[in-house]
Amino acid sequence: MNYPPSYYTYTYSYSPYDRYPIPAAYYPVYWAWDRDYPHVDTKVLSHSAATSQTLLRDASLLIRKLEDPVIAGQLMSNAQNGNQKEVDRIIHTFGIESIILTKFTPSVVHFTIDPRVPEKQCCEMILSLKWGK
């Protein structure tokens, strides 16, 4: 935003008070009215919302699969050993349609769920699950 600096002074008079800055409260709020916004087009938002439905279904399937203690144990033990390829293989056996990127720390696993069409990036879902202290 183009806020006027507080060190501007009036220049039309030659009084000794010209040397002091004018407080910002005396400036008109002209920048609030000079905004040009583009025309509202809901196509992109509608497409993102429709694609997000698929991402939500895939996230729900991922969470349901991770509720199984056997699968969760395999995932956590491979992550603890730093075996990223095996973690990705376990996640891909769930039958999820979207692309899932997995990152993990000792306390949290992050799943980034992207739609299948990477050249038309409209949305993504990031799911963080705590799995340690």
Side-chain angles (χ1 to χ4, degrees), residues 38-46:
H39 178 69
V40 175
D41 185 13
T42 61
K43 291 178 198 171
V44 175
L45 180 60
S46 298

Side-chain angles (χ1 to χ4, degrees), residues 91-107:
I91 296 299
H92 290 294
T93 62
F94 296 166
I96 295 174
E97 298 175 10
S98 301
I99 299 171
I100 296 184
L101 304 174
T102 307
K103 295 179 187 175
F104 44 83
T105 66
S107 59

Side-chain angles (χ1 to χ4, degrees), residues 63-131:
I63 292 171
R64 281 196 311 269
K65 292 288 188 176
L66 290 176
E67 286 178 346
D68 184 7
V70 175
I71 294 174
Q74 290 174 352
L75 188 76
M76 290 178 74
S77 63
N78 284 304
Q80 189 173 12
N81 294 330
N83 193 352
Q84 180 73 44
K85 288 183 180 180
E86 184 63 20
V87 169
D88 292 339
R89 188 197 66 77
I90 292 170
I91 296 299
H92 290 294
T93 62
F94 296 166
I96 295 174
E97 298 175 10
S98 301
I99 299 171
I100 296 184
L101 304 174
T102 307
K103 295 179 187 175
F104 44 83
T105 66
S107 59
V108 177
V109 60
H110 299 280
F111 299 104
T112 303
I113 306 170
D114 289 329
R116 273 280 173 206
V117 186
E119 65 270 358
K120 197 170 186 181
Q121 186 68 20
C122 66
C123 51
E124 74 177 5
M125 181 174 295
I126 299 173
L127 179 65
S128 299
L129 299 174
K130 186 171 180 175
W131 66 8

